[in-house]
Amino acid sequence: MVKQLSVLFFAVAAACGLQAQERAGAGRVEGEAAVGATFGYSSLKGYANAAAGPCLAVECRYNFRRRPFDAGLRIEASLYSRQPRSSCLSDHFPVAAVMAVGGYNLPVARAVTLYAGVGVGYAGIMGTAAEAEADDARFNGQVRFAAMPRIGCECWNRLRVTLGYVCTERANRHLSLTVGVAIGGRR
């Protein structure tokens, strides 16, 4: 009986402590699942234009206590296509990226926060054989350093719209626009 009461006491004390931290604006961990569109870099020799494709991303962030910064990890998968000048068919270009991300949050209204940040990590480029003929596409099928400046807007502490530009070698740079839902985090 004493063990059960002491466990109950510590559980209630921990819940009260978490609630007090929440009210004080303490940092919290949150996750985000996002979907959107990816737009490839089209002005390469040998390619006429690029078509948008799907983008999926998951992100886990830590919101710092009493500071407008957050930091986390983002995993993103993108697929866009380009049309070679010599063909009517499009070539697909899948890219997967894992990045450490950070951002500065600027509240502009009660339920709206703007944010700007950067991601740094690696991108796995899994292009097609046709891509190897394009200029600056020497890294087909390999993992390369990537950076992603990004901006966005968060509404009601849940809905996030992010615009990010993934910078890798010239042949695989792309812009992604995602809409995500944050789970957990600060209120």
Side-chain angles (χ1 to χ4, degrees):
M1 180 75 171
V2 172
K3 286 182 183 180
Q4 294 168 345
L5 286 176
S6 55
V7 168
L8 180 62
F9 172 76
F10 285 116
V12 169
C16 290
L18 287 175
Q19 185 178 7
Q21 283 181 352
E22 215 172 90
R23 287 186 183 153
R28 304 258 328 254
V29 175
E30 69 180 346
E32 177 186 349
V35 297
T38 300
F39 307 93
Y41 186 68
S42 62
S43 55
L44 291 173
K45 182 180 177 182
Y47 287 94
N49 56 16
C55 177
L56 299 172
V58 292
E59 186 172 328
C60 183
R61 284 183 298 282
Y62 178 78
N63 297 309
F64 288 97
R65 175 189 226 171
R66 296 186 183 96
R67 305 254 188 304
F69 295 101
D70 58 38
L73 181 70
R74 181 178 180 94
I75 300 171
E76 182 177 309
S78 305
L79 176 69
Y80 55 92
S81 58
R82 294 189 187 111
Q83 184 177 14
R85 293 185 193 277
S86 61
S87 174
C88 294
L89 301 174
S90 294
D91 291 332
H92 296 290
F93 295 85
V95 177
V98 176
M99 297 185 187
V101 293
Y104 178 78
N105 302 302
L106 177 66
V108 293
R110 181 176 167 88
V112 178
T113 302
L114 299 178
Y115 59 92
V118 67
V120 177
Y122 290 96
I125 299 138
M126 301 157 276
T128 63
E131 183 186 14
E133 297 173 9
D135 288 346
D136 295 329
R138 299 178 303 276
F139 309 121
N140 185 20
Q142 296 184 12
V143 175
R144 291 290 178 224
F145 174 78
M148 178 181 67
R150 64 187 194 154
I151 59 171
C153 177
E154 181 175 323
C155 300
W156 307 289
N157 294 323
R158 295 289 173 244
L159 182 66
R160 291 175 59 99
V161 178
T162 304
L163 181 66
Y165 186 71
V166 179
C167 302
T168 60
E169 71 275 0
R170 184 172 178 240
N172 290 295
R173 294 178 192 157
H174 61 278
L175 181 72
S176 62
L177 176 65
T178 60
V179 176
V181 175
I183 302 161
R186 61 180 172 227
R187 294 177 189 246

